[in-house]
């Protein structure tokens, strides 16, 4: 393959720029032409396609977000729209595509490959870490560390006032951000969609810990694990405590990628280009036991995401 393109799609994640850089520079090293597509599948169907050089990716490795921009493009589920995307690639003579995004992006990639014969390689880029076939996705580690920074600050002020805080974090249906940040930040309670919880038990535990002299408690609530307001109302009403709520929202999705995400981006980006260079079948790249792996798109959804219940049970002992 001599001419390829790269796009970012779905929610942005720290390390996407580092990944684009890895794709561009590996392609140029392999004497391939490389194009950047703006705004994900939306830009692809509109022909927002530009030739890239090594200078196109100067000074981006440390920046969060994605300079190619990203978009949600619901109409991409339509096969006619997918055909328009394939036509746009053909018009530029582009033979292969690298997509960086989450599970939705990969479903689009599979369709483009199955329905239109385009060779596509998917790189997992999302803060949610919700893709079962890979141990980690680009952006997760940075997001967890951003949450951890917030936890450190919240602890300082909550402890000073003997208060209970509830911090809501992102993750869609996946509790990994909450679990990892909660364990690393010493949260007393971690509420995730994967594990049942009982608010009366949490109230009991807050009261018991007060008897032992622990007057400040931190609850981490993963998005998807319950309605924040209902939880706060219940704990305040039945626990006789004031709960302060913190939602750091998009702060955890932006920011400079850390070492782990930049290294992951470099390894994934380089592997994706090698696969296209060798005319391999469409697939997703991932990492398992610190080894870069490839998995066909139709296998990706079949590997169910496993929640780390062992780490969760450790968190319950350590937070006493
Ligand atoms: P993420 O990739 O982070 O999971 P989304 O779920 O928003 O983010 O998906 C990104 C884009 O992928 C969507 O806006 C759409 O263009 C495309 N996509 C999602 N699901 C499908 C599908 N079932 N078929 C085709 N394209 C899809
Ligand atoms: O997938 C990344 C993510 O930040 C999720 O954690 C969250 O549910 C969603 O995207 C928010 O999406 P939007 O950008 O549409 O608010």
């Amino acid at each position: 393959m001599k001419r390829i393109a790269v796009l970012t799609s779905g929610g942005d994640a720290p390390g996407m720029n580092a990944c684009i850089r890895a794709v561009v520079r590996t392609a140029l090293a392999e004497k391939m032409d490389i194009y950047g597509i703006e705004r994900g599948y939306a830009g692809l169907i509109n022909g927002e396609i530009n030739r890239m050089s090594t200078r196109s990716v100067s000074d981006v490795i440390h920046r969060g977000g994605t300079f190619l921009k990203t978009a949600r493009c619901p109409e991409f589920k339509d096969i006619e729209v997918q055909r328009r995307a394939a036509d746009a690639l053909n018009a530029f003579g582009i033979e292969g595509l690298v997509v960086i995004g989450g599970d939705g992006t990969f479903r689009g990639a599979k369709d483009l490959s199955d329905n239109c014969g385009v060779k596509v390689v998917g790189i997992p880029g999302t803060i949610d870490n919700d893709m079962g076939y890979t141990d980690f996705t680009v952006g997760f580690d940075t997001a967890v560390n951003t949450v951890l920074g917030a936890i450190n600050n919240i602890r300082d002020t909550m402890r000073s006032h003997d208060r209970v805080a509830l911090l809501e974090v992102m993750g869609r249906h996946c509790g990994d951000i909450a679990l990892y940040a909660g364990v690393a930040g010493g949260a007393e309670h971690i509420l995730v969609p994967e594990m049942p919880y009982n608010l009366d038990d949490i109230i009991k535990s807050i009261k018991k810990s007060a008897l032992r002299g622990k007057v400040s408690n931190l609850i981490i609530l993963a998005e998807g694990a319950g309605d924040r307001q209902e939880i706060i109302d219940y704990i305040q009403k039945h626990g006789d405590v004031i709960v302060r709520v913190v939602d750091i929202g998009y702060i955890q999705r932006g920011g400079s990628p850390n070492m782990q995400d930049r290294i992951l981006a470099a390894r994934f980006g380089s592997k994706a280009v090698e696969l296209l260079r060798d005319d391999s079948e469409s697939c997703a790249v991932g990492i398992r036991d610190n080894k870069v792996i490839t998995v066909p798109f139709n296998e990706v959804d079949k590997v169910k995401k496993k929640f780390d219940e062992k780490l969760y049970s450790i968190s319950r002992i350590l937070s006493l």
Side-chain angles (χ1 to χ4, degrees), residues 186-237:
E188 278 73 22
H189 302 280
I190 302 172
L191 313 186
V192 290
E194 294 88 346
M195 303 301 286
Y197 62 86
N198 182 317
L199 292 182
D200 291 320
D201 289 345
I202 293 175
I203 291 168
K204 263 190 233 150
S205 148
I206 292 173
K207 286 184 175 163
K208 254 173 87 179
S209 66
L211 294 175
R212 289 197 312 272
K214 189 185 227 184
V215 277
S216 175
N217 272 255
L218 177 64
I219 305 167
I220 309 275
L221 170 68
E223 167 188 17
D227 183 88
R228 177 173 76 198
Q229 199 53 50
E230 280 175 18
I231 293 170
I232 297 165
D233 290 347
Y234 192 89
I235 296 178
Q236 294 200 135
K237 187 167 168 212

Side-chain angles (χ1 to χ4, degrees), residues 271 275 283-286 292-296:
K271 181 69 180 180
L275 288 162
C283 66
V285 299
V292 175
I293 53 157
T294 60
V295 177

Side-chain angles (χ1 to χ4, degrees), residues 14 48 103 252 274 284:
E48 295 169 35
D103 50 2
Q252 73 205 279
E274 285 167 14

Side-chain angles (χ1 to χ4, degrees), residues 235-286:
I235 296 178
Q236 294 200 135
K237 187 167 168 212
H238 300 281
D240 196 26
V241 284
I242 305 280
V243 182
R244 291 287 202 244
V245 63
V246 188
D247 180 359
I248 59 168
Y250 297 106
I251 293 171
Q252 73 205 279
R253 208 163 79 183
S256 182
N258 65 11
M259 178 276 286
Q260 153 123 333
D261 283 328
R262 295 186 200 191
I263 299 294
L264 210 51
R267 294 175 78 184
F268 285 166
S270 119
K271 181 69 180 180
V273 174
E274 285 167 14
L275 288 162
L276 291 178
R277 177 201 62 195
D278 298 342
D279 289 318
S280 308
E281 290 306 312
S282 292
C283 66
V285 299

Side-chain angles (χ1 to χ4, degrees), residues 15-160:
M16 279 186 163
N17 283 326
C19 203
I20 299 165
R21 173 180 177 271
V23 169
V24 169
R25 295 216 167 142
T26 308
L28 293 172
E30 294 290 344
K31 308 265 177 285
M32 296 161 103
D33 298 339
I34 173 77
Y35 285 74
I37 298 167
E38 292 189 9
R39 298 191 310 109
Y41 295 127
L44 173 55
I45 56 185
N46 286 329
E48 295 169 35
I49 302 172
N50 300 297
R51 180 90 183 254
M52 296 177 97
S53 72
T54 190
R55 292 281 71 80
S56 313
V57 287
S58 296
D59 206 26
V60 302
I61 194 169
H62 60 297
R63 295 186 197 281
T66 161
F67 78 90
L68 281 180
K69 299 191 180 281
T70 183
R72 315 266 189 205
C73 177
E75 63 270 33
F76 201 69
K77 290 178 186 157
D78 180 345
I79 191 164
E80 287 310 318
V81 176
Q82 292 160 15
R83 288 201 179 113
R84 265 170 52 204
D87 289 345
L89 291 171
N90 285 335
F92 281 81
I94 294 167
E95 303 158 280
L97 177 65
V98 179
V99 299
I100 308 167
D103 50 2
T105 299
F106 280 22
R107 279 192 280 277
K110 180 180 182 302
D111 284 358
L112 196 56
S113 175
D114 290 353
N115 300 337
C116 312
V118 178
K119 288 267 172 72
V120 191
V121 176
I123 294 178
T126 164
I127 63 166
D128 299 337
N129 208 37
D130 57 352
M131 301 166 93
Y133 80 96
T134 180
D135 290 343
F136 294 107
T137 57
V138 173
F140 169 68
D141 200 62
T142 303
V144 168
N145 279 289
T146 304
V147 173
L148 195 52
I151 289 177
N152 295 339
N153 290 10
I154 293 163
R155 277 197 172 286
D156 288 346
T157 172
M158 290 300 136
R159 214 180 155 72
S160 305

